[in-house]
Amino acid sequence: MRQIILTLAVASLLTACKSPPSLITDAVPSAQPSTHTIRWSEYHANNAALPAPNPETVALLSDQQQTYDLPALVDLALQTNPETRQSWQEAKAAAARVDKQRSAWYPTLTALAFGQYFKTSIPIPESALVSHGYGTFGGLELAWTLFDFGRREALVDASLERLDVAQFALTRKHQQIAYRVVTSFFSYQAALAKVAATQQTFEAAKTNAEAVKAKLKQGFATRPDLLLAMQEQAKANYDLHDARGSVIQLRAELTTNIGVSPSQTLNMVDLSQVALPDKLESSVEHIVDDALAQHPDLMAQLAELRAREAEVKKARAEFWPKLSIKGNVGNQYWGDVHTNPPSKQNYSSDNLVGTAMLNLEWKLFDGFERSSAVREAEAKQQAGQAQVEALRLEIMRDIWRAYADTKTALEKREFALALLRAAEESFAATQESYRHGFSTVIDLLTAQKDLARARYTEIDSRAELLKSAAALVYTAGGQSAAD
C-alpha cells in the first residue's frame, strides 16, 4: 500500500506548498452581471486571457513518449483539473475576507467637495432679510472607531477561522481528486487486463473449435459438438468486443478526473506494475485515532464551529456602546452674496474651517433585535457542535467499513489466485484429455468457461484490493493505514 499512500500524499504535499497567505493583495476582478445566455464559444472567447496552464504540464502533455505512473497522473491532475483552481480561488477569497474585516481597525479618510447656490430668508420687523449667492466647500473627513467592546475582534476571528475552513477544504479537494484519479486508474487498468484475458479466452475457444472440427472429420465427434464449440467461440468474440467498449468508457472517466480531453494521448504503466498491499499494519482503532486528530473535513468543521463561537461574541457585543472620533477640515467659500433689503455692497468670504467630535453611540432599545441575533448565533453554534459530532461518527463508520473491505479484499485475493491456478491446471488437463479421447466436448468447454471466470475473478480481486486500500487511505484523511 506504500504506493497508494505515496500517491494520495502527493495531493496533501502540493496543498501544503500552495497554502494561501494570510493576506491577499491580488486584485480580484469584479463580476459583471450577465444579461444573456452564455454559450461555450462566448465563454471560451471572453476567458481567453485567463492564466495559462503550467508550462511543465504542457510539456508533459506534449511529450508522447512520457509514461505516467500513478503519482505522475495525480500530479498532472492537480495541475490541470479545474476543481483545484476553484478551491484555490475560494481560499484566496477567504484570505481577502480576513483583510476586509481587519480594515475596520483603521480610520477612514474621505475627501469632500460640494458647491451650492442658496437663497435664504430671515424675518425682520415689517419685512424679511433675503440673501442669495453661492458657496463651495472642499476638505477631508476622518472617522475612527476607538472602542467597540470586541465587535471587530470577533469578526476578524470568525474570518480567520473560515480561512482555515477554506484551506482544509483545499487540502481535502486535492485528496479527493487524487482518490478519484487513483480509483478510475485502477478501473481502467482492470478493464485493459480483462481485454487481454478475454483475448486469451477467445483464442482458446478458437483452438477448441478447431480441435472439435478435426475430430469431426475423423469421426470421433458429432456435429452438435462442433456447433457447441462454435457457439462458445462466438460468445468469446462478443465478450472481447464488449470488454474493449468498457475500456473506452473508463478511459474517458479517467481523463475527465485528470482534467484533460479523452482524445489526449496518455501512456500509462500497466496494472501489474502497481505494487499490491500485503497486509494491514495498523489496527482500525489506531487509524481512527489518527484520522480524528488530522482529518481535513473534521478540522474544517471544527474551524467553522470556532467561527460561529466568534459570531456569538460579536452578537453579544452589540449590547454595548461604541466610542469613535470624527472630524473634518477644509476650506469654505461664500461668494457674491446679495441681500434684500440691499446693503451697501455685496460680500464674499474665504475661511479654513473644521470640526472635531468624540461620539458615544449606545443603542438602548431596538425591538429585541439584538436579543434575537444572540439566540440565532447561539443556535448556529449548537448546530455546529452537532455537525462536528455527526461528522466524527461518519468518519469512524467510513474507516471501519473501508478497513473491513480492505481486509476482505486481501483474503479474497489469495483465494482468487488459488482459483486461477486450479482453473489453469484443470483446463490444461481437460484439453489434453480431450485430445486423447478421454473427455467430452462438454468437459472441455466447461473447463474453458471456468478458466475465463477465474481470470476475471483474479483481475477483479486485484483491482478491488487496490481500490479498497485507496478508499481506506482516503477515508482516514490521508493517513498511512497499511503496508
Side-chain angles (χ1 to χ4, degrees):
M1 190 176 287
R2 285 193 178 92
Q3 183 160 359
I4 299 173
I5 296 168
L6 174 62
T7 301
L8 293 181
V10 170
S12 300
L13 179 60
L14 292 182
T15 302
C17 294
K18 299 178 181 179
S19 297
S22 59
L23 298 178
I24 295 294
T25 56
D26 297 350
V28 180
S30 60
Q32 298 297 328
S34 175
T35 57
H36 65 285
T37 301
I38 299 179
R39 292 179 170 82
W40 168 248
S41 58
E42 297 174 354
Y43 173 84
H44 185 67
N46 294 336
N47 290 272
L50 288 176
N54 191 319
E56 297 180 358
T57 305
V58 176
L60 286 174
L61 290 174
S62 62
D63 185 4
Q64 302 298 325
Q65 304 301 321
Q66 171 74 23
T67 299
Y68 292 89
D69 60 4
L70 203 45
L73 282 177
V74 171
D75 182 54
L76 179 62
L78 295 181
Q79 297 180 62
T80 58
N81 195 305
E83 293 182 27
T84 60
R85 296 196 299 273
Q86 175 188 350
S87 296
W88 170 243
Q89 294 300 328
E90 289 174 353
K92 289 180 63 178
R97 284 193 293 272
V98 174
D99 293 340
K100 178 182 176 182
Q101 298 298 341
R102 283 176 173 167
S103 64
W105 289 95
Y106 298 96
T108 59
L109 187 63
T110 307
L112 301 176
F114 64 86
Q116 64 174 340
Y117 171 81
F118 67 91
K119 184 175 182 180
T120 61
S121 176
I122 301 175
I124 59 176
E126 299 181 358
S127 182
L129 176 62
V130 178
S131 63
H132 62 91
Y134 64 88
T136 62
F137 176 82
L140 298 174
E141 182 178 78
L142 176 71
W144 194 356
T145 300
L146 300 177
F147 191 68
D148 61 359
F149 286 91
R151 290 176 175 85
R152 292 169 295 179
E153 182 180 1
L155 290 175
V156 171
D157 289 344
S159 62
L160 284 171
E161 296 298 342
R162 291 201 166 95
L163 174 58
D164 286 344
V165 172
Q167 290 175 327
F168 285 121
L170 176 62
T171 299
R172 192 56 172 169
K173 175 59 68 175
H174 283 198
Q175 293 178 355
Q176 182 185 41
I177 291 174
Y179 175 66
R180 293 201 321 241
V181 170
V182 166
T183 53
S184 58
F185 171 79
F186 291 152
S187 297
Y188 171 67
Q189 291 293 331
L192 287 178
K194 286 184 177 181
V195 169
T198 310
Q199 182 69 44
Q200 290 178 313
T201 302
F202 173 71
E203 296 296 334
K206 185 177 180 181
T207 301
N208 291 337
E210 293 294 333
V212 175
K213 187 182 296 183
K215 279 184 172 280
L216 179 62
K217 291 180 179 180
Q218 298 173 1
F220 297 113
T222 64
R223 183 164 180 78
D225 291 341
L226 176 60
L227 293 177
L228 189 59
M230 293 181 65
Q231 174 185 332
E232 289 301 320
Q233 180 182 351
K235 174 66 167 57
N237 196 9
Y238 173 86
D239 291 341
L240 176 60
H241 285 80
D242 184 61
R244 288 172 176 170
S246 298
V247 168
I248 297 175
Q249 296 175 1
L250 292 171
R251 179 182 177 83
E253 180 180 352
L254 174 59
T255 55
T256 300
N257 288 329
I258 294 174
V260 298
S261 170
S263 61
Q264 182 68 51
T265 300
L266 292 176
N267 299 319
M268 289 169 279
V269 298
D270 187 75
L271 183 63
S272 60
Q273 299 182 30
V274 179
L276 289 176
D278 54 3
K279 63 179 179 178
L280 284 170
E281 182 177 2
S282 301
S283 66
V284 64
E285 292 83 1
H286 179 69
I287 298 173
V288 168
D289 290 340
D290 288 343
L292 295 180
Q294 57 78 50
H295 197 289
D297 287 342
L298 187 58
M299 295 300 102
Q301 194 63 55
L302 288 171
E304 176 62 27
L305 177 59
R306 292 192 295 269
R308 294 183 182 185
E309 291 173 351
E311 290 175 346
V312 172
K313 294 179 181 179
K314 194 266 182 184
R316 290 173 177 170
E318 291 295 335
F319 283 95
W320 298 98
K322 291 190 294 185
L323 184 65
S324 61
I325 59 173
K326 188 174 182 179
N328 61 66
V329 62
N331 187 78
Q332 188 175 47
Y333 176 76
W334 300 100
D336 196 24
V337 178
H338 298 261
T339 61
N340 187 20
S343 62
K344 296 181 179 179
Q345 62 181 0
N346 300 336
Y347 62 89
S348 300
S349 66
D350 187 359
N351 298 296
L352 182 66
V353 297
T355 60
M357 295 179 289
L358 182 64
N359 294 337
L360 178 66
E361 180 183 348
W362 197 348
K363 188 181 293 185
L364 300 179
F365 184 72
D366 59 2
F368 306 105
E369 177 184 357
R370 290 170 294 178
S371 300
S372 300
V374 170
R375 291 197 303 272
E376 179 185 5
E378 290 176 342
K380 288 182 177 180
Q381 178 189 1
Q382 295 297 324
Q385 291 177 347
Q387 288 175 344
V388 169
E389 290 301 316
L391 181 59
R392 182 181 66 86
L393 293 173
E394 182 179 344
I395 291 172
M396 294 171 62
R397 178 205 64 193
D398 291 343
I399 292 176
W400 275 85
R401 181 182 298 170
Y403 187 90
D405 290 343
T406 305
K407 186 176 181 179
T408 303
L410 282 168
E411 297 170 350
K412 290 169 64 176
R413 173 66 181 168
E414 297 298 326
F415 291 118
L417 291 173
L419 175 63
L420 179 59
R421 288 192 296 267
E424 289 174 341
E425 294 174 359
S426 175
F427 177 71
T430 305
Q431 198 173 40
E432 184 67 19
S433 177
Y434 180 76
R435 291 195 187 100
H436 292 85
F438 298 114
S439 298
T440 66
V441 69
I442 299 297
D443 296 333
L444 178 62
L445 298 181
T446 300
Q448 172 191 311
K449 288 187 286 186
D450 289 343
L451 177 57
R453 284 195 296 267
R455 286 170 177 161
Y456 269 45
T457 301
E458 188 277 330
I459 294 170
D460 287 337
S461 69
R462 183 183 183 87
E464 182 181 353
L465 176 55
L466 289 169
K467 288 193 285 188
S468 62
L472 179 56
V473 175
Y474 177 69
T475 55
Q479 282 294 297
S480 302
D483 191 19

